[in-house]
């Protein structure tokens, strides 16, 4: 009974996510959009110097979308033997990712994989960089979240880097009535707990960047406008 209720919740959230992502991926053009697809995030841009001396780079982008971060990195690493495995649940994300990789002439480096983050098994010691930007909070349970963090930790080679940006402590209210709404995120962990999980799993790593930024958005939802507040946790560390 409870399992069914939980599965229904995940299905409902994923259906909504699919709708909103499909709309934006169909409408907007990578790097020339006023939406979040307009530019690569600064934290990812800051990773480039760490790979200056590498000739071969193997990277993984979990919940890669249409390649906002991976295509930028593939362009920066054009003179290296670079492969970035890009995993996303949605066919349309991976189709657009491949088109974008061709447009930016990095199709040799971008490997699109249509799969869920939960199902994509990260082999130990296999990547120099693993990133997940606004993606890990979409795995199907807190247990999956913790086990994926451990897999990421084991999947990164010596001197390799993890770059995670994760929404935490997410709240949503109807702007007109102030009624609380269920945030459309599969996993919603308190900020303190998230920070503790990250420092537990990545203990003994060198932390490069750690921040929490409170953000507020107004978003259309089922005919009303809701206000979403979130603490965005950024965690970049080197093994
Ligand atoms: C907010 S977008 C971010 C995309 C990309 N990381 C970026 O920064 O541009 C989240 C992406 O994660 C994907 N996603 C959501 N849940 C997922 C899951 N469980 N497994 C794989 N991909 C997922 C969505 O399809 C979407 O493309």
């Amino acid at each position: 009974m409870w399992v069914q209720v939980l599965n229904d919740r995940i299905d409902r959230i994923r259906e909504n996510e699919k709708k909103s992502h499909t709309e934006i991926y169909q409408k907007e053009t990578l790097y020339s959009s006023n939406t979040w697809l307009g530019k690569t995030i600064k934290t990812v841009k800051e990773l480039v110097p760490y790979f200056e001396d590498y000739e071969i780079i193997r990277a993984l982008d979990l919940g890669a979308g249409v390649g906002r971060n991976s295509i930028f990195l593939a362009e920066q690493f054009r003179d290296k033997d670079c492969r970035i495995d890009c995993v996303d649940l949605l066919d349309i994300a991976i189709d657009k990712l491949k088109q974008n990789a061709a447009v930016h002439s990095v199709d040799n480096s971008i490997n699109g994989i249509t799969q869920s983050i939960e199902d994509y098994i990260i082999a130990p010691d296999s990547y120099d960089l693993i990133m997940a930007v606004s993606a890990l909070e979409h795995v199907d349970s807190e247990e999956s979240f913790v086990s994926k963090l451990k897999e990421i930790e084991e999947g990164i080679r010596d001197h390799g880097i993890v770059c995670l940006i994760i929404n935490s402590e997410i709240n949503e209210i109807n702007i007109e009535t102030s009624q609380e709404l269920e945030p459309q995120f599969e996993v919603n962990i308190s900020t303190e707990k998230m920070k503790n999980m990250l420092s537990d799993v990545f203990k003994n790593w060198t932390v490069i960047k750690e921040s929490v930024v409170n953000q507020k958005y107004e978003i259309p939802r089922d005919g009303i406008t809701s206000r979403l507040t979130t603490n965005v946790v950024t965690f970049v560390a080197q093994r």
Side-chain angles (χ1 to χ4, degrees), residues 14 17-18 21 25 30 36-37 39 41 61-69 87-90 93 115-119 132-135 137-140 186:
R14 293 219 162 148
E17 262 185 90
K18 184 176 177 182
H21 281 111
Y25 291 161
L30 186 67
W36 50 273
L37 283 184
K39 51 180 193 262
I41 64 161
D61 186 357
L62 294 170
V66 297
R68 174 170 68 134
N69 301 309
V87 175
D88 203 286
L89 199 57
L90 295 181
Q115 202 166 22
S116 74
I117 295 170
E118 300 88 306
D119 289 346
V133 176
S134 307
E137 58 276 53
H138 293 296
V139 295
D140 57 11
E186 291 84 334

